[in-house]
Amino acid sequence: MTARNPFRTRASVAAGRLTAWLSRSSGLGCGGVIGGRVTLALDPRALRRLGRERTVVLVTGTNGKTTTSLMLTRALEALAEVAANSDGANMPDGILAALAARPDAPYAVLEVDETYVPWVAEQLQPAVLVLLNLSRDQLDRVGEVRATERDLRAAIAALPGTVVVANCDDVLVASAASAAAKPLWVGTGRRWTGDSTACPRCDGRVETRGGSWHCGCGLARPEPGWTLDGDLVRTPGGRQVDLDLRLPGDANRANAAFAMAAAHRLGVPPHTAAARLRTITDIGGRYRTIRRSRHSVRLMLAKNPAGWAETLRVLDEDTPVVVAVNAQEADGRDLSWLWDVHFERLRGRQVVVTGERGADLAVRLCYAEVAHWAEPDPVAAIDALPPGGVELVANYTAFRELVGRLPGA
């Protein structure tokens, strides 16, 4: 912490660290959120002060924040120490705790819940803001996604010194990021289009042709400087970099392209970044395969329609699937998103539903004509399956609970 930080900030950070330690020691949690909450309560300006004299990168979007943040952190570690909220605590208290934990790190990579970006960005004045995608998520907490786009657009317009690394294939992202003084466009293709058929500026129809899109009001797909083509990332200078990631799926290759573009803006050569991304095998337990008695269990996270669209593509077709769904505050209480997921793709497979809201999921699968059976306890659901592989897909709190219960997760 620099000498410019007043005693109040140092004292509030110390109190937050003590609270976090007590939380961890008593087994109540990892301590990041409660520690940051105590610090902010004692010093509301602590976030601004802890962000001074650092190069800050914020990463936001509906899906891919944690993965992209880890990739970007790994790339920037080629330059120096990086402060990061790698545990996924992406609201102000978790962000502050991450900065307080590494006060001397010259870089900070922070994933931010999209609803908090305006306030966090105003406090930290980031060098780079990475904007991945926008789609429906936690409707009871976040609200309608177009309102999120408008808030982000206004926040970006107030950041003239920030480079915005943005997805030119997402209509809502392109609308928000077009307010940037320094946009850096990345093209990775798009899978989920359910929230971008109408223009966020004029409500007119968005016309799509080939890999491009446009609206009659003038909003159109920007020309990307960075593009993803299969496993290759093409840079603005025309160089091609082979990703060869150990993480599966197109979504993770897209996340890697955003991470490389942002890291390059801060001085990390693309080949150096790609080499460091290849060392990542899981994201907080996601994609990890563990052994449990007679089973080999691959752990996956899917928490909204767009996330499920990607997850369904990487599930092994011949492997039983356990799906765990909760609806706690961190998940969103509103489970209407289940009806926008194409669960029909699970037909003909062995499927077990579990979690606190397994009954809601079971109803959805009945309408999708997916044969299944229910087991309230996720671990018992795994144990009840025949020996062999298991694909376990859970939403946010269900996933975190399972990681805590399964040895090796």
Side-chain angles (χ1 to χ4, degrees):
M1 194 177 303
T2 68
R4 294 174 61 188
N5 292 320
F7 173 77
R8 181 178 180 181
T9 299
R10 291 197 295 270
S12 65
V13 167
R17 286 177 173 170
L18 176 60
T19 306
W21 178 81
L22 290 171
S23 177
R24 290 191 298 270
S25 300
S26 60
L28 296 176
C30 66
V33 171
I34 188 62
R37 193 166 295 172
V38 167
T39 301
L40 278 176
L42 295 173
D43 181 6
R45 294 179 60 84
L47 187 62
R48 184 187 300 272
R49 290 171 177 145
L50 287 171
R52 285 176 181 165
E53 300 181 15
R54 302 189 201 237
T55 300
V56 176
V57 183
L58 304 184
V59 180
T60 196
T62 307
N63 291 289
K65 294 186 292 291
T66 302
T67 301
T68 305
S69 296
L70 176 61
M71 289 176 167
L72 188 47
T73 298
R74 192 67 58 87
L76 288 178
E77 284 174 342
L79 302 179
E81 185 181 6
V82 181
N85 52 342
S86 54
D87 59 354
N90 58 23
M91 296 183 187
D93 39 20
I95 292 166
L96 187 142
L99 293 174
R102 307 188 92 169
D104 298 319
Y107 292 92
V109 175
L110 304 165
E111 71 161 281
V112 187
D113 181 282
E114 51 270 37
T115 59
Y116 288 97
V117 168
W119 186 80
V120 171
E122 193 276 330
Q123 296 291 307
L124 293 177
Q125 295 294 304
V128 177
L129 169 64
V130 181
L131 185 50
L132 299 169
N133 47 68
L134 290 172
S135 63
R136 281 163 286 158
D137 187 36
Q138 299 188 24
L139 293 175
D140 55 318
R141 182 179 70 84
V142 178
E144 207 277 325
V145 68
R146 287 167 179 264
T148 302
E149 184 275 328
R150 289 192 295 271
D151 291 344
L152 286 172
R153 194 193 320 166
I156 288 169
L159 297 170
T162 299
V163 175
V164 179
V165 179
N167 184 352
C168 68
D169 294 305
D170 187 304
V171 175
L172 293 169
V173 166
S175 176
S178 62
K182 302 175 183 178
L184 178 58
W185 300 105
V186 180
T188 64
R190 57 175 177 160
R191 298 280 192 171
W192 177 261
T193 59
D195 297 293
S196 56
T197 56
C199 177
R201 300 293 184 91
C202 72
D203 291 328
R205 181 178 176 181
V206 174
E207 301 285 348
T208 302
R209 181 175 300 170
S212 190
W213 58 265
H214 72 277
C215 175
C217 72
L219 183 66
R221 180 182 185 265
E223 187 65 28
W226 293 72
T227 58
L228 176 67
D229 183 8
D231 207 44
L232 294 176
V233 174
R234 290 189 172 88
T235 73
R239 299 177 66 187
Q240 294 188 151
V241 182
D242 192 351
L243 289 175
D244 194 24
L245 299 179
R246 299 173 70 182
L247 299 175
D250 292 338
N252 284 318
R253 286 187 281 273
N255 293 335
F258 285 104
M260 289 173 61
H264 181 259
R265 182 65 181 79
L266 296 174
V268 181
H271 283 87
T272 300
R276 297 184 70 85
L277 301 193
R278 294 184 196 114
T279 66
I280 301 173
T281 58
D282 68 271
I283 312 293
R286 306 175 202 179
Y287 310 110
R288 184 178 299 177
T289 298
I290 64 167
R291 292 293 307 179
R292 176 173 174 80
S293 184
R294 305 171 303 159
H295 299 98
S296 175
V297 185
R298 184 165 66 152
L299 306 176
M300 311 282 282
L301 175 74
K303 56 183 181 176
N304 52 46
W308 260 101
E310 296 297 339
T311 300
L312 286 168
R313 291 186 177 93
V314 300
L315 295 179
D316 186 88
E317 294 183 358
D318 301 319
T319 302
V321 181
V322 175
V323 184
V325 173
N326 289 352
Q328 298 178 22
E329 182 179 0
D331 306 300
R333 308 289 188 187
D334 185 343
L335 286 181
S336 59
W337 62 267
L338 289 173
W339 296 89
D340 293 323
V341 177
H342 294 166
F343 285 114
E344 289 78 5
R345 296 188 63 168
L346 296 178
R347 289 174 184 167
R349 304 179 59 160
Q350 194 168 12
V351 178
V352 187
V353 300
T354 185
E356 297 171 353
R357 300 297 288 272
D360 297 79
L361 176 60
V363 171
R364 172 68 184 98
L365 293 185
C366 284
Y367 278 88
E369 300 180 354
V370 175
H372 62 277
W373 54 276
E375 166 54 59
D377 181 77
V379 176
I382 297 169
D383 294 341
L385 287 167
V390 176
E391 300 274 43
L392 193 153
V393 188
N395 69 342
Y396 185 69
T397 64
F399 184 89
R400 294 191 69 166
E401 290 169 7
L402 282 162
V403 167
R405 291 181 60 189
L406 294 172

